[in-house]
Amino acid sequence: MKILITGAGGFLGQFLARKFLEDGSHQLVLTDVMDCPVPKGSKHPDNAKVIKGDIFEEVDNLVTKDLDAVYIFHGIMSSGSEANFDLGMKVNVDATRLLLEKLRHTTPGIRVIYASSQAVYGRPFPEVLTEDVFPTPEGSYGAEKMICEYLVNDYTRRGYINGISTRFPTISVRPGKPSQAASSFISGIIREPLAGKECVVPVKDRSFPSWVCSPRTLINNLVHALTLPSDALPSHKRSVNMPGLLATIQDMLDALAKVGGEDKLQHVKEEDDQELGKILHSWAYKFDNKLALDLGFKPDTSFEQAVREYVDWVKEQEQLDA
């Protein structure tokens, strides 16, 4: 298959690209506005082509008639979208609409997997959230994601694309540097202390819950999304909440201590950040993933396992760099 991945310079794009490059039958087009290397350790690196640039400028080069599938990962994260409304709308909505229009006219019916978010939900929350709960986002990021979900629905209903919107839990443990996401600390609470660096947790309440998923599990689920038959969902309802698990700040600290050692806890600083707190407390944290599970998507086993997977990934990267 020939697959386009936008936002491919980010960690998810890199992880997904490496997963597809395990199979020599796949051809990838990787694009981002920032540096977007072919992932280290890829089995078939020559099967990937990198196009660095803005979607507004490069869309004609990105979308060709021989494309089989597209993963839409580009975007401005939650706190970044809240801080800069115009930039968030341009990148998260306008660029996505432009891409969908180009796909509609060049490769009608193409499979599109859109990266959405649990941020589409807003308070008041029911006891348990499902896809039947009406989304009422409380931030610009969630609103922008919901706008694009509606586009995916209607473009699919009309036969322009064969789309599915995958609503991500918070991903932990993310490699790399802290991001603009309000949830960045949910990876930082593990990643930074393991590296001997300080992480500031912007919530002092250790019972604060988050709905999380490991990168490995999400990547496997994104690959699975490519295999779903077009009639697996109604043509006008294409959104699925990806499986996650509930983890409190205390659960994360316990996993850090168990995997990395008690001494790593000294690198965690807890303080209340009222601005970030407004965003964090507007996010749902308890989901019923029956639809996703019925469609064949898989959940994580534990947060501790996600931490162990991250440690294994770090060791692998050190070996590749040696």
Side-chain angles (χ1 to χ4, degrees):
M1 298 183 74
K2 185 173 182 181
I3 302 168
L4 168 65
I5 304 175
T6 73
F11 89 96
L12 277 181
Q14 291 284 291
F15 275 35
L16 184 64
R18 184 173 175 183
K19 181 72 173 179
F20 278 124
L21 290 173
E22 291 176 359
D23 184 342
S25 68
H26 294 310
Q27 299 289 325
L28 302 186
V29 179
L30 310 178
T31 187
D32 210 315
V33 294
M34 61 181 184
D35 288 337
C36 180
V38 176
K40 289 186 295 185
S42 298
K43 284 187 179 180
H44 300 279
D46 292 341
N47 286 14
K49 175 183 178 181
V50 175
I51 299 177
K52 182 179 178 180
D54 194 306
I55 288 175
F56 290 97
E57 299 171 356
E58 298 292 344
V59 68
D60 290 339
N61 295 322
L62 297 173
V63 178
T64 53
K65 290 183 179 295
D66 58 345
L67 273 182
D68 297 299
V70 181
Y71 285 84
I72 301 178
F73 283 177
H74 67 268
I76 301 296
M77 296 293 100
S78 50
S79 57
S81 296
E82 199 65 24
N84 190 331
F85 176 80
D86 292 324
L87 181 62
M89 287 294 290
K90 179 181 179 181
V91 175
N92 293 346
V93 178
D94 297 342
T96 302
R97 171 77 195 286
L98 176 67
L99 180 60
L100 291 175
E101 274 294 286
K102 185 65 177 180
L103 292 169
R104 166 192 171 188
H105 293 291
T106 307
T107 57
I110 190 172
R111 169 52 58 93
V112 174
I113 292 94
Y114 174 68
S116 190
S117 168
Q118 64 187 20
V120 299
Y121 292 108
R123 295 169 291 187
F125 300 128
E127 184 176 348
V128 178
L129 279 144
T130 71
E131 289 80 0
D132 291 331
V133 174
F134 185 72
T136 55
E138 292 187 55
S140 293
Y141 178 70
E144 289 151 8
K145 288 296 184 183
M146 199 61 235
I147 290 168
C148 291
E149 284 194 24
Y150 283 132
L151 290 175
V152 170
N153 286 350
D154 205 41
Y155 276 62
T156 300
R157 181 185 66 83
R158 288 179 170 272
Y160 299 156
I161 64 171
N162 176 10
I164 179 172
S165 296
T166 52
R167 292 175 180 161
F168 295 177
T170 297
I171 310 305
S172 184
V173 180
R174 290 174 177 257
K177 298 177 181 179
S179 72
Q180 284 189 312
S183 60
S184 180
F185 78 94
I186 296 173
S187 287
I189 197 174
I190 304 297
R191 182 186 60 233
E192 311 310 333
L194 287 176
K197 300 177 181 179
E198 181 182 271
C199 172
V200 177
V201 176
V203 182
K204 279 190 173 181
D205 179 8
R206 291 192 176 185
S207 67
F208 177 81
S210 296
W211 191 249
V212 299
C213 175
S214 71
R216 178 179 295 178
T217 293
L218 181 61
I219 292 303
N220 288 337
N221 283 333
L222 287 168
V223 172
H224 175 69
L226 198 60
T227 70
L228 290 179
S230 59
D231 61 355
L233 294 166
S235 64
H236 66 296
K237 294 175 67 176
R238 309 298 291 183
S239 301
V240 181
N241 296 326
M242 291 291 96
L245 58 82
L246 188 66
T248 65
I249 290 175
Q250 187 63 58
D251 292 332
M252 297 173 195
L253 293 173
D254 290 345
L256 172 63
K258 190 168 183 179
V259 177
E262 294 279 346
D263 60 305
K264 297 298 188 291
L265 297 175
Q266 66 182 311
H267 299 296
V268 179
K269 181 180 179 181
E270 299 166 86
E271 59 184 38
D272 280 322
D273 183 318
Q274 294 196 358
E275 289 304 311
L276 283 180
K278 289 178 183 177
I279 298 175
L280 294 168
H281 285 286
S282 73
W283 290 351
Y285 58 83
K286 194 172 182 182
F287 290 78
D288 179 348
N289 287 134
K290 183 179 184 304
L291 175 60
L293 298 178
D294 287 347
L295 291 171
F297 296 103
K298 305 296 183 184
D300 279 305
T301 55
S302 69
F303 187 78
E304 180 185 325
Q305 181 59 34
V307 176
R308 295 190 183 279
E309 289 173 4
Y310 173 72
V311 171
D312 290 343
W313 179 86
V314 171
K315 291 178 180 177
E316 181 190 33
Q317 296 302 299
E318 291 172 348
Q319 292 173 354
L320 290 172
D321 290 337

